[in-house]
Amino acid sequence: ETVLAVDIGGTKTMAALVKGTVIADEILVPTAREAGPDAWLEAVAERTAQWRGRYARIGFAVTGLVQDGRWSALNPATLGIPHGYPLVDRATRLFGKPVFAMNDAQAAAWGEYKFGAGSGENLVFLTISTGIGGGIVINGRPLPGLAGHFGLIRGPSQGRSPLEDETSGRWITVEALKAGHEAEAAKVFENARQGAPWARAIVSQSALRAATLCRDIQLMLDPNQIVIGGGVGLAAGYIDEMREHLKDVAPRLAPRLVAAKLGGRAGIIGVADLAGEGG
Ligand code: ADP
Ligand code: BMX
């Protein structure tokens, strides 16, 4: 059965026709952050219009909390979703097919567990992206609700803001500006690789915080591995930098970090699988 799978993140929106793990077509557009959810859905409908009739159901993997078909931001700075937006209702009306919706990182955790880096053992997925999202698969089941929302844990600056606001791609850009450089995260990484001290300091700080989070996750859940994804998490050198910060941790306590095997497609593939099962 072919599923139209959609991933709406704080930065980009992806859509693909998915059958199992095979992606027939794929689109990628920026999420128009200020436009709001009606516009985000319309953009997907417009860009996927040529696929009408080729899919039986739809799966949405979205940044934020999805409960009873309603969608809300936990951190509006990551994406300003209005509280309780009726995502499943609106999308069902717009696309005319059954709709299943869940959190993006929880979907990605499932994708990696079943088709990616997973080994059948308990796993945590962590995306370091616009925010920081997470998903937990225990005993072969993805945990729903708030479970895995690690980016919402209080950050290091006296608990004033969520961890993701002091670690993620958005933070990297803000820090670069403070250091006098107008640069997206990718540009900061490029500068860091070329040895610019200001950029190295920012990347290292972010990786230290992400590494510390993984260390804490290990103590809470003892997963077999922590799968890292997201635009920042998968940027060249970032996971190595995290490992560097963990090198003094006692072996039994140290998390095993691996890169997402499905790359940026983990959410799409995970939600397609769960939507195909009827949610
Ligand atoms: P989303 O949050 O929409 O799921 P991403 O996983 O691509 O999207 O994460 C977006 C964040 O990752 C942004 O802050 C962006 O600047 C950053 N980013 C994207 N590509 C790279 C890259 N190659 N290197 C470093 N950071 C990147
Ligand atoms: C935030 C939160 C999570 C999400 C994570 C990663 C919102 C809007 N989102 O912690 O639900 O999984 O960001 O989102 O509160 P991404 O856009 O960085 O992929």
Side-chain angles (χ1 to χ4, degrees), residues 60-99:
F60 278 89
V62 294
T63 184
L65 185 67
V66 181
Q67 244 156 6
D68 302 323
R70 289 180 175 271
W71 184 21
S72 305
L74 289 168
N75 182 0
T78 295
L79 188 62
I81 308 137
H83 185 77
Y85 178 81
L87 172 61
V88 168
D89 275 2
R90 294 285 166 87
T92 305
R93 218 168 298 163
L94 195 57
F95 292 87
K97 295 283 179 195
V99 170

PDB file of all heavy atoms in Angstrom, residues 60-99:
ATOM      1  N   PHE A  60       1.304  11.979   8.734  1.00  0.00           N
ATOM      2  CA  PHE A  60       1.988  13.232   9.056  1.00  0.00           C
ATOM      3  C   PHE A  60       2.920  13.022  10.246  1.00  0.00           C
ATOM      4  O   PHE A  60       2.483  12.573  11.308  1.00  0.00           O
ATOM      5  CB  PHE A  60       0.985  14.323   9.434  1.00  0.00           C
ATOM      6  CG  PHE A  60       0.355  15.024   8.263  1.00  0.00           C
ATOM      7  CD1 PHE A  60      -0.808  14.524   7.689  1.00  0.00           C
ATOM      8  CD2 PHE A  60       0.927  16.171   7.734  1.00  0.00           C
ATOM      9  CE1 PHE A  60      -1.398  15.165   6.606  1.00  0.00           C
ATOM     10  CE2 PHE A  60       0.342  16.819   6.653  1.00  0.00           C
ATOM     11  CZ  PHE A  60      -0.817  16.314   6.086  1.00  0.00           C
ATOM     12  N   ALA A  61       4.183  13.358  10.059  1.00  0.00           N
ATOM     13  CA  ALA A  61       5.157  13.399  11.163  1.00  0.00           C
ATOM     14  C   ALA A  61       5.490  14.867  11.361  1.00  0.00           C
ATOM     15  O   ALA A  61       6.053  15.501  10.468  1.00  0.00           O
ATOM     16  CB  ALA A  61       6.403  12.608  10.783  1.00  0.00           C
ATOM     17  N   VAL A  62       5.102  15.418  12.497  1.00  0.00           N
ATOM     18  CA  VAL A  62       5.208  16.874  12.663  1.00  0.00           C
ATOM     19  C   VAL A  62       5.932  17.259  13.946  1.00  0.00           C
ATOM     20  O   VAL A  62       5.802  16.587  14.977  1.00  0.00           O
ATOM     21  CB  VAL A  62       3.805  17.525  12.663  1.00  0.00           C
ATOM     22  CG1 VAL A  62       3.147  17.371  11.293  1.00  0.00           C
ATOM     23  CG2 VAL A  62       2.900  16.955  13.757  1.00  0.00           C
ATOM     24  N   THR A  63       6.660  18.360  13.881  1.00  0.00           N
ATOM     25  CA  THR A  63       7.268  18.913  15.086  1.00  0.00           C
ATOM     26  C   THR A  63       6.145  19.389  16.006  1.00  0.00           C
ATOM     27  O   THR A  63       5.166  19.964  15.545  1.00  0.00           O
ATOM     28  CB  THR A  63       8.241  20.070  14.733  1.00  0.00           C
ATOM     29  OG1 THR A  63       8.885  20.512  15.933  1.00  0.00           O
ATOM     30  CG2 THR A  63       7.544  21.256  14.092  1.00  0.00           C
ATOM     31  N   GLY A  64       6.255  19.095  17.285  1.00  0.00           N
ATOM     32  CA  GLY A  64       5.202  19.467  18.231  1.00  0.00           C
ATOM     33  C   GLY A  64       4.458  18.248  18.737  1.00  0.00           C
ATOM     34  O   GLY A  64       4.764  17.112  18.375  1.00  0.00           O
ATOM     35  N   LEU A  65       3.471  18.515  19.579  1.00  0.00           N
ATOM     36  CA  LEU A  65       2.718  17.443  20.231  1.00  0.00           C
ATOM     37  C   LEU A  65       1.425  17.164  19.460  1.00  0.00           C
ATOM     38  O   LEU A  65       0.677  18.090  19.145  1.00  0.00           O
ATOM     39  CB  LEU A  65       2.385  17.869  21.665  1.00  0.00           C
ATOM     40  CG  LEU A  65       1.703  16.826  22.548  1.00  0.00           C
ATOM     41  CD1 LEU A  65       2.644  15.656  22.845  1.00  0.00           C
ATOM     42  CD2 LEU A  65       1.220  17.456  23.852  1.00  0.00           C
ATOM     43  N   VAL A  66       1.181  15.892  19.159  1.00  0.00           N
ATOM     44  CA  VAL A  66      -0.080  15.511  18.523  1.00  0.00           C
ATOM     45  C   VAL A  66      -0.838  14.604  19.482  1.00  0.00           C
ATOM     46  O   VAL A  66      -0.320  13.575  19.917  1.00  0.00           O
ATOM     47  CB  VAL A  66       0.149  14.759  17.195  1.00  0.00           C
ATOM     48  CG1 VAL A  66      -1.193  14.408  16.544  1.00  0.00           C
ATOM     49  CG2 VAL A  66       0.998  15.589  16.243  1.00  0.00           C
ATOM     50  N   GLN A  67      -2.036  15.038  19.851  1.00  0.00           N
ATOM     51  CA  GLN A  67      -2.862  14.210  20.719  1.00  0.00           C
ATOM     52  C   GLN A  67      -4.314  14.293  20.276  1.00  0.00           C
ATOM     53  O   GLN A  67      -4.833  15.392  20.056  1.00  0.00           O
ATOM     54  CB  GLN A  67      -2.707  14.634  22.185  1.00  0.00           C
ATOM     55  CG  GLN A  67      -2.097  13.509  23.007  1.00  0.00           C
ATOM     56  CD  GLN A  67      -1.373  13.942  24.265  1.00  0.00           C
ATOM     57  OE1 GLN A  67      -1.387  15.108  24.645  1.00  0.00           O
ATOM     58  NE2 GLN A  67      -0.738  12.982  24.916  1.00  0.00           N
ATOM     59  N   ASP A  68      -4.962  13.142  20.118  1.00  0.00           N
ATOM     60  CA  ASP A  68      -6.337  13.072  19.620  1.00  0.00           C
ATOM     61  C   ASP A  68      -6.508  13.867  18.327  1.00  0.00           C
ATOM     62  O   ASP A  68      -7.511  14.556  18.148  1.00  0.00           O
ATOM     63  CB  ASP A  68      -7.322  13.581  20.690  1.00  0.00           C
ATOM     64  CG  ASP A  68      -7.202  12.784  21.991  1.00  0.00           C
ATOM     65  OD1 ASP A  68      -6.974  11.563  21.912  1.00  0.00           O
ATOM     66  OD2 ASP A  68      -7.306  13.396  23.076  1.00  0.00           O
ATOM     67  N   GLY A  69      -5.525  13.763  17.467  1.00  0.00           N
ATOM     68  CA  GLY A  69      -5.620  14.431  16.173  1.00  0.00           C
ATOM     69  C   GLY A  69      -5.377  15.922  16.216  1.00  0.00           C
ATOM     70  O   GLY A  69      -5.420  16.597  15.185  1.00  0.00           O
ATOM     71  N   ARG A  70      -5.130  16.449  17.411  1.00  0.00           N
ATOM     72  CA  ARG A  70      -4.884  17.886  17.548  1.00  0.00           C
ATOM     73  C   ARG A  70      -3.399  18.148  17.762  1.00  0.00           C
ATOM     74  O   ARG A  70      -2.720  17.399  18.432  1.00  0.00           O
ATOM     75  CB  ARG A  70      -5.705  18.463  18.703  1.00  0.00           C
ATOM     76  CG  ARG A  70      -7.179  18.508  18.363  1.00  0.00           C
ATOM     77  CD  ARG A  70      -8.004  19.088  19.493  1.00  0.00           C
ATOM     78  NE  ARG A  70      -9.386  19.220  19.070  1.00  0.00           N
ATOM     79  CZ  ARG A  70      -9.875  20.302  18.459  1.00  0.00           C
ATOM     80  NH1 ARG A  70      -9.106  21.345  18.240  1.00  0.00           N
ATOM     81  NH2 ARG A  70     -11.137  20.336  18.076  1.00  0.00           N
ATOM     82  N   TRP A  71      -2.969  19.267  17.206  1.00  0.00           N
ATOM     83  CA  TRP A  71      -1.543  19.566  17.095  1.00  0.00           C
ATOM     84  C   TRP A  71      -1.219  20.854  17.851  1.00  0.00           C
ATOM     85  O   TRP A  71      -1.917  21.867  17.660  1.00  0.00           O
ATOM     86  CB  TRP A  71      -1.219  19.718  15.611  1.00  0.00           C
ATOM     87  CG  TRP A  71       0.202  19.934  15.222  1.00  0.00           C
ATOM     88  CD1 TRP A  71       1.315  19.644  15.934  1.00  0.00           C
ATOM     89  CD2 TRP A  71       0.645  20.487  13.974  1.00  0.00           C
ATOM     90  NE1 TRP A  71       2.435  19.968  15.209  1.00  0.00           N
ATOM     91  CE2 TRP A  71       2.054  20.482  13.998  1.00  0.00           C
ATOM     92  CE3 TRP A  71      -0.002  20.955  12.828  1.00  0.00           C
ATOM     93  CZ2 TRP A  71       2.824  20.951  12.938  1.00  0.00           C
ATOM     94  CZ3 TRP A  71       0.756  21.423  11.772  1.00  0.00           C
ATOM     95  CH2 TRP A  71       2.157  21.419  11.820  1.00  0.00           C
ATOM     96  N   SER A  72      -0.192  20.826  18.699  1.00  0.00           N
ATOM     97  CA  SER A  72       0.197  22.006  19.471  1.00  0.00           C
ATOM     98  C   SER A  72       1.713  22.124  19.535  1.00  0.00           C
ATOM     99  O   SER A  72       2.412  21.112  19.511  1.00  0.00           O
ATOM    100  CB  SER A  72      -0.305  21.900  20.919  1.00  0.00           C
ATOM    101  OG  SER A  72      -1.691  21.671  20.967  1.00  0.00           O
ATOM    102  N   ALA A  73       2.177  23.360  19.662  1.00  0.00           N
ATOM    103  CA  ALA A  73       3.603  23.578  19.938  1.00  0.00           C
ATOM    104  C   ALA A  73       3.854  23.354  21.415  1.00  0.00           C
ATOM    105  O   ALA A  73       3.022  23.697  22.253  1.00  0.00           O
ATOM    106  CB  ALA A  73       3.998  24.997  19.560  1.00  0.00           C
ATOM    107  N   LEU A  74       4.973  22.740  21.735  1.00  0.00           N
ATOM    108  CA  LEU A  74       5.435  22.735  23.114  1.00  0.00           C
ATOM    109  C   LEU A  74       6.395  23.904  23.306  1.00  0.00           C
ATOM    110  O   LEU A  74       6.402  24.545  24.335  1.00  0.00           O
ATOM    111  CB  LEU A  74       6.113  21.415  23.440  1.00  0.00           C
ATOM    112  CG  LEU A  74       5.127  20.241  23.529  1.00  0.00           C
ATOM    113  CD1 LEU A  74       5.874  18.922  23.572  1.00  0.00           C
ATOM    114  CD2 LEU A  74       4.219  20.390  24.729  1.00  0.00           C
ATOM    115  N   ASN A  75       7.198  24.160  22.272  1.00  0.00           N
ATOM    116  CA  ASN A  75       8.073  25.324  22.255  1.00  0.00           C
ATOM    117  C   ASN A  75       7.757  26.123  20.994  1.00  0.00           C
ATOM    118  O   ASN A  75       8.232  25.784  19.906  1.00  0.00           O
ATOM    119  CB  ASN A  75       9.532  24.882  22.266  1.00  0.00           C
ATOM    120  CG  ASN A  75      10.478  26.070  22.286  1.00  0.00           C
ATOM    121  OD1 ASN A  75      10.024  27.221  22.291  1.00  0.00           O
ATOM    122  ND2 ASN A  75      11.764  25.794  22.292  1.00  0.00           N
ATOM    123  N   PRO A  76       6.959  27.181  21.117  1.00  0.00           N
ATOM    124  CA  PRO A  76       6.558  27.959  19.942  1.00  0.00           C
ATOM    125  C   PRO A  76       7.736  28.587  19.211  1.00  0.00           C
ATOM    126  O   PRO A  76       7.603  28.958  18.045  1.00  0.00           O
ATOM    127  CB  PRO A  76       5.629  29.045  20.504  1.00  0.00           C
ATOM    128  CG  PRO A  76       5.532  28.835  21.958  1.00  0.00           C
ATOM    129  CD  PRO A  76       6.393  27.690  22.372  1.00  0.00           C
ATOM    130  N   ALA A  77       8.903  28.681  19.882  1.00  0.00           N
ATOM    131  CA  ALA A  77      10.079  29.221  19.193  1.00  0.00           C
ATOM    132  C   ALA A  77      10.591  28.241  18.141  1.00  0.00           C
ATOM    133  O   ALA A  77      11.212  28.634  17.161  1.00  0.00           O
ATOM    134  CB  ALA A  77      11.180  29.534  20.207  1.00  0.00           C
ATOM    135  N   THR A  78      10.312  26.954  18.328  1.00  0.00           N
ATOM    136  CA  THR A  78      10.727  25.965  17.336  1.00  0.00           C
ATOM    137  C   THR A  78       9.781  25.984  16.141  1.00  0.00           C
ATOM    138  O   THR A  78      10.213  25.983  14.988  1.00  0.00           O
ATOM    139  CB  THR A  78      10.818  24.570  17.976  1.00  0.00           C
ATOM    140  OG1 THR A  78      11.867  24.606  18.945  1.00  0.00           O
ATOM    141  CG2 THR A  78      11.121  23.482  16.960  1.00  0.00           C
ATOM    142  N   LEU A  79       8.487  26.039  16.409  1.00  0.00           N
ATOM    143  CA  LEU A  79       7.499  26.335  15.360  1.00  0.00           C
ATOM    144  C   LEU A  79       6.209  26.779  16.052  1.00  0.00           C
ATOM    145  O   LEU A  79       5.715  26.093  16.954  1.00  0.00           O
ATOM    146  CB  LEU A  79       7.247  25.119  14.451  1.00  0.00           C
ATOM    147  CG  LEU A  79       6.380  25.421  13.214  1.00  0.00           C
ATOM    148  CD1 LEU A  79       7.051  26.448  12.291  1.00  0.00           C
ATOM    149  CD2 LEU A  79       6.065  24.153  12.411  1.00  0.00           C
ATOM    150  N   GLY A  80       5.668  27.897  15.598  1.00  0.00           N
ATOM    151  CA  GLY A  80       4.520  28.517  16.273  1.00  0.00           C
ATOM    152  C   GLY A  80       3.184  27.919  15.862  1.00  0.00           C
ATOM    153  O   GLY A  80       2.353  28.561  15.235  1.00  0.00           O
ATOM    154  N   ILE A  81       2.953  26.688  16.279  1.00  0.00           N
ATOM    155  CA  ILE A  81       1.681  26.023  15.984  1.00  0.00           C
ATOM    156  C   ILE A  81       0.651  26.509  17.014  1.00  0.00           C
ATOM    157  O   ILE A  81       0.916  26.468  18.205  1.00  0.00           O
ATOM    158  CB  ILE A  81       1.847  24.486  16.117  1.00  0.00           C
ATOM    159  CG1 ILE A  81       3.026  23.992  15.293  1.00  0.00           C
ATOM    160  CG2 ILE A  81       0.553  23.761  15.756  1.00  0.00           C
ATOM    161  CD1 ILE A  81       3.889  22.971  16.004  1.00  0.00           C
ATOM    162  N   PRO A  82      -0.522  26.963  16.560  1.00  0.00           N
ATOM    163  CA  PRO A  82      -1.526  27.380  17.551  1.00  0.00           C
ATOM    164  C   PRO A  82      -2.003  26.195  18.381  1.00  0.00           C
ATOM    165  O   PRO A  82      -1.992  25.055  17.914  1.00  0.00           O
ATOM    166  CB  PRO A  82      -2.666  27.944  16.697  1.00  0.00           C
ATOM    167  CG  PRO A  82      -2.426  27.472  15.310  1.00  0.00           C
ATOM    168  CD  PRO A  82      -0.990  27.105  15.180  1.00  0.00           C
ATOM    169  N   HIS A  83      -2.403  26.430  19.626  1.00  0.00           N
ATOM    170  CA  HIS A  83      -2.762  25.333  20.519  1.00  0.00           C
ATOM    171  C   HIS A  83      -3.987  24.555  20.019  1.00  0.00           C
ATOM    172  O   HIS A  83      -5.031  25.137  19.724  1.00  0.00           O
ATOM    173  CB  HIS A  83      -3.038  25.860  21.931  1.00  0.00           C
ATOM    174  CG  HIS A  83      -3.281  24.751  22.905  1.00  0.00           C
ATOM    175  ND1 HIS A  83      -2.255  23.991  23.416  1.00  0.00           N
ATOM    176  CD2 HIS A  83      -4.431  24.243  23.408  1.00  0.00           C
ATOM    177  CE1 HIS A  83      -2.760  23.056  24.210  1.00  0.00           C
ATOM    178  NE2 HIS A  83      -4.082  23.197  24.224  1.00  0.00           N
ATOM    179  N   GLY A  84      -3.846  23.250  19.921  1.00  0.00           N
ATOM    180  CA  GLY A  84      -4.991  22.385  19.594  1.00  0.00           C
ATOM    181  C   GLY A  84      -5.464  22.466  18.154  1.00  0.00           C
ATOM    182  O   GLY A  84      -6.631  22.191  17.858  1.00  0.00           O
ATOM    183  N   TYR A  85      -4.574  22.780  17.236  1.00  0.00           N
ATOM    184  CA  TYR A  85      -4.960  22.853  15.814  1.00  0.00           C
ATOM    185  C   TYR A  85      -5.478  21.484  15.340  1.00  0.00           C
ATOM    186  O   TYR A  85      -4.808  20.455  15.529  1.00  0.00           O
ATOM    187  CB  TYR A  85      -3.761  23.287  14.971  1.00  0.00           C
ATOM    188  CG  TYR A  85      -4.064  23.351  13.492  1.00  0.00           C
ATOM    189  CD1 TYR A  85      -4.717  24.451  12.947  1.00  0.00           C
ATOM    190  CD2 TYR A  85      -3.724  22.299  12.644  1.00  0.00           C
ATOM    191  CE1 TYR A  85      -5.004  24.509  11.589  1.00  0.00           C
ATOM    192  CE2 TYR A  85      -4.005  22.348  11.289  1.00  0.00           C
ATOM    193  CZ  TYR A  85      -4.651  23.460  10.765  1.00  0.00           C
ATOM    194  OH  TYR A  85      -4.938  23.509   9.419  1.00  0.00           O
ATOM    195  N   PRO A  86      -6.679  21.452  14.735  1.00  0.00           N
ATOM    196  CA  PRO A  86      -7.283  20.164  14.341  1.00  0.00           C
ATOM    197  C   PRO A  86      -6.641  19.574  13.086  1.00  0.00           C
ATOM    198  O   PRO A  86      -7.249  19.535  12.010  1.00  0.00           O
ATOM    199  CB  PRO A  86      -8.752  20.528  14.110  1.00  0.00           C
ATOM    200  CG  PRO A  86      -8.740  21.977  13.747  1.00  0.00           C
ATOM    201  CD  PRO A  86      -7.557  22.601  14.452  1.00  0.00           C
ATOM    202  N   LEU A  87      -5.418  19.101  13.243  1.00  0.00           N
ATOM    203  CA  LEU A  87      -4.616  18.636  12.102  1.00  0.00           C
ATOM    204  C   LEU A  87      -5.284  17.506  11.329  1.00  0.00           C
ATOM    205  O   LEU A  87      -5.380  17.550  10.099  1.00  0.00           O
ATOM    206  CB  LEU A  87      -3.235  18.185  12.611  1.00  0.00           C
ATOM    207  CG  LEU A  87      -2.323  17.500  11.596  1.00  0.00           C
ATOM    208  CD1 LEU A  87      -2.000  18.416  10.422  1.00  0.00           C
ATOM    209  CD2 LEU A  87      -1.017  17.049  12.267  1.00  0.00           C
ATOM    210  N   VAL A  88      -5.753  16.490  12.046  1.00  0.00           N
ATOM    211  CA  VAL A  88      -6.295  15.320  11.343  1.00  0.00           C
ATOM    212  C   VAL A  88      -7.578  15.698  10.593  1.00  0.00           C
ATOM    213  O   VAL A  88      -7.759  15.333   9.422  1.00  0.00           O
ATOM    214  CB  VAL A  88      -6.497  14.141  12.320  1.00  0.00           C
ATOM    215  CG1 VAL A  88      -7.315  13.023  11.678  1.00  0.00           C
ATOM    216  CG2 VAL A  88      -5.137  13.594  12.769  1.00  0.00           C
ATOM    217  N   ASP A  89      -8.466  16.459  11.231  1.00  0.00           N
ATOM    218  CA  ASP A  89      -9.701  16.911  10.570  1.00  0.00           C
ATOM    219  C   ASP A  89      -9.417  17.714   9.315  1.00  0.00           C
ATOM    220  O   ASP A  89      -9.955  17.440   8.239  1.00  0.00           O
ATOM    221  CB  ASP A  89     -10.524  17.803  11.520  1.00  0.00           C
ATOM    222  CG  ASP A  89     -11.408  16.970  12.434  1.00  0.00           C
ATOM    223  OD1 ASP A  89     -11.329  15.723  12.337  1.00  0.00           O
ATOM    224  OD2 ASP A  89     -12.141  17.568  13.242  1.00  0.00           O
ATOM    225  N   ARG A  90      -8.556  18.727   9.455  1.00  0.00           N
ATOM    226  CA  ARG A  90      -8.266  19.616   8.321  1.00  0.00           C
ATOM    227  C   ARG A  90      -7.610  18.849   7.177  1.00  0.00           C
ATOM    228  O   ARG A  90      -7.953  19.042   6.014  1.00  0.00           O
ATOM    229  CB  ARG A  90      -7.347  20.763   8.747  1.00  0.00           C
ATOM    230  CG  ARG A  90      -7.948  21.723   9.735  1.00  0.00           C
ATOM    231  CD  ARG A  90      -8.967  22.653   9.097  1.00  0.00           C
ATOM    232  NE  ARG A  90      -9.751  23.320  10.121  1.00  0.00           N
ATOM    233  CZ  ARG A  90      -9.397  24.466  10.730  1.00  0.00           C
ATOM    234  NH1 ARG A  90      -8.288  25.066  10.374  1.00  0.00           N
ATOM    235  NH2 ARG A  90     -10.152  24.991  11.669  1.00  0.00           N
ATOM    236  N   ALA A  91      -6.676  17.986   7.526  1.00  0.00           N
ATOM    237  CA  ALA A  91      -5.951  17.260   6.479  1.00  0.00           C
ATOM    238  C   ALA A  91      -6.869  16.244   5.803  1.00  0.00           C
ATOM    239  O   ALA A  91      -6.796  16.035   4.590  1.00  0.00           O
ATOM    240  CB  ALA A  91      -4.716  16.578   7.063  1.00  0.00           C
ATOM    241  N   THR A  92      -7.755  15.613   6.573  1.00  0.00           N
ATOM    242  CA  THR A  92      -8.687  14.654   5.985  1.00  0.00           C
ATOM    243  C   THR A  92      -9.573  15.368   4.970  1.00  0.00           C
ATOM    244  O   THR A  92      -9.811  14.865   3.861  1.00  0.00           O
ATOM    245  CB  THR A  92      -9.562  14.003   7.084  1.00  0.00           C
ATOM    246  OG1 THR A  92      -8.702  13.435   8.062  1.00  0.00           O
ATOM    247  CG2 THR A  92     -10.442  12.906   6.506  1.00  0.00           C
ATOM    248  N   ARG A  93     -10.056  16.549   5.340  1.00  0.00           N
ATOM    249  CA  ARG A  93     -10.911  17.323   4.433  1.00  0.00           C
ATOM    250  C   ARG A  93     -10.136  17.743   3.181  1.00  0.00           C
ATOM    251  O   ARG A  93     -10.637  17.665   2.074  1.00  0.00           O
ATOM    252  CB  ARG A  93     -11.451  18.558   5.164  1.00  0.00           C
ATOM    253  CG  ARG A  93     -12.886  18.847   4.782  1.00  0.00           C
ATOM    254  CD  ARG A  93     -13.513  19.874   5.702  1.00  0.00           C
ATOM    255  NE  ARG A  93     -13.569  19.437   7.090  1.00  0.00           N
ATOM    256  CZ  ARG A  93     -13.763  20.276   8.109  1.00  0.00           C
ATOM    257  NH1 ARG A  93     -13.882  21.573   7.893  1.00  0.00           N
ATOM    258  NH2 ARG A  93     -13.844  19.820   9.340  1.00  0.00           N
ATOM    259  N   LEU A  94      -8.912  18.165   3.385  1.00  0.00           N
ATOM    260  CA  LEU A  94      -8.111  18.698   2.281  1.00  0.00           C
ATOM    261  C   LEU A  94      -7.686  17.618   1.288  1.00  0.00           C
ATOM    262  O   LEU A  94      -7.697  17.827   0.078  1.00  0.00           O
ATOM    263  CB  LEU A  94      -6.877  19.397   2.865  1.00  0.00           C
ATOM    264  CG  LEU A  94      -6.070  20.328   1.974  1.00  0.00           C
ATOM    265  CD1 LEU A  94      -6.947  21.439   1.416  1.00  0.00           C
ATOM    266  CD2 LEU A  94      -4.927  20.947   2.791  1.00  0.00           C
ATOM    267  N   PHE A  95      -7.322  16.435   1.814  1.00  0.00           N
ATOM    268  CA  PHE A  95      -6.768  15.394   0.943  1.00  0.00           C
ATOM    269  C   PHE A  95      -7.785  14.309   0.592  1.00  0.00           C
ATOM    270  O   PHE A  95      -7.561  13.536  -0.331  1.00  0.00           O
ATOM    271  CB  PHE A  95      -5.532  14.752   1.595  1.00  0.00           C
ATOM    272  CG  PHE A  95      -4.359  15.669   1.705  1.00  0.00           C
ATOM    273  CD1 PHE A  95      -4.204  16.518   2.795  1.00  0.00           C
ATOM    274  CD2 PHE A  95      -3.389  15.697   0.712  1.00  0.00           C
ATOM    275  CE1 PHE A  95      -3.123  17.371   2.906  1.00  0.00           C
ATOM    276  CE2 PHE A  95      -2.288  16.544   0.810  1.00  0.00           C
ATOM    277  CZ  PHE A  95      -2.152  17.390   1.910  1.00  0.00           C
ATOM    278  N   GLY A  96      -8.868  14.212   1.367  1.00  0.00           N
ATOM    279  CA  GLY A  96      -9.902  13.222   1.065  1.00  0.00           C
ATOM    280  C   GLY A  96      -9.475  11.780   1.266  1.00  0.00           C
ATOM    281  O   GLY A  96     -10.022  10.872   0.631  1.00  0.00           O
ATOM    282  N   LYS A  97      -8.479  11.571   2.136  1.00  0.00           N
ATOM    283  CA  LYS A  97      -8.018  10.209   2.457  1.00  0.00           C
ATOM    284  C   LYS A  97      -7.848  10.105   3.970  1.00  0.00           C
ATOM    285  O   LYS A  97      -7.687  11.121   4.655  1.00  0.00           O
ATOM    286  CB  LYS A  97      -6.656   9.931   1.791  1.00  0.00           C
ATOM    287  CG  LYS A  97      -6.690   9.911   0.280  1.00  0.00           C
ATOM    288  CD  LYS A  97      -7.281   8.632  -0.254  1.00  0.00           C
ATOM    289  CE  LYS A  97      -7.314   8.663  -1.775  1.00  0.00           C
ATOM    290  NZ  LYS A  97      -8.169   7.629  -2.346  1.00  0.00           N
ATOM    291  N   PRO A  98      -7.833   8.870   4.510  1.00  0.00           N
ATOM    292  CA  PRO A  98      -7.595   8.716   5.957  1.00  0.00           C
ATOM    293  C   PRO A  98      -6.225   9.261   6.357  1.00  0.00           C
ATOM    294  O   PRO A  98      -5.240   9.024   5.661  1.00  0.00           O
ATOM    295  CB  PRO A  98      -7.637   7.197   6.175  1.00  0.00           C
ATOM    296  CG  PRO A  98      -8.226   6.617   4.952  1.00  0.00           C
ATOM    297  CD  PRO A  98      -8.046   7.589   3.831  1.00  0.00           C
ATOM    298  N   VAL A  99      -6.198  10.003   7.462  1.00  0.00           N
ATOM    299  CA  VAL A  99      -4.973  10.672   7.904  1.00  0.00           C
ATOM    300  C   VAL A  99      -4.553  10.146   9.276  1.00  0.00           C
ATOM    301  O   VAL A  99      -5.385   9.998  10.173  1.00  0.00           O
ATOM    302  CB  VAL A  99      -5.185  12.203   7.993  1.00  0.00           C
ATOM    303  CG1 VAL A  99      -4.005  12.884   8.680  1.00  0.00           C
ATOM    304  CG2 VAL A  99      -5.408  12.796   6.606  1.00  0.00           C
TER     305      VAL A  99
END
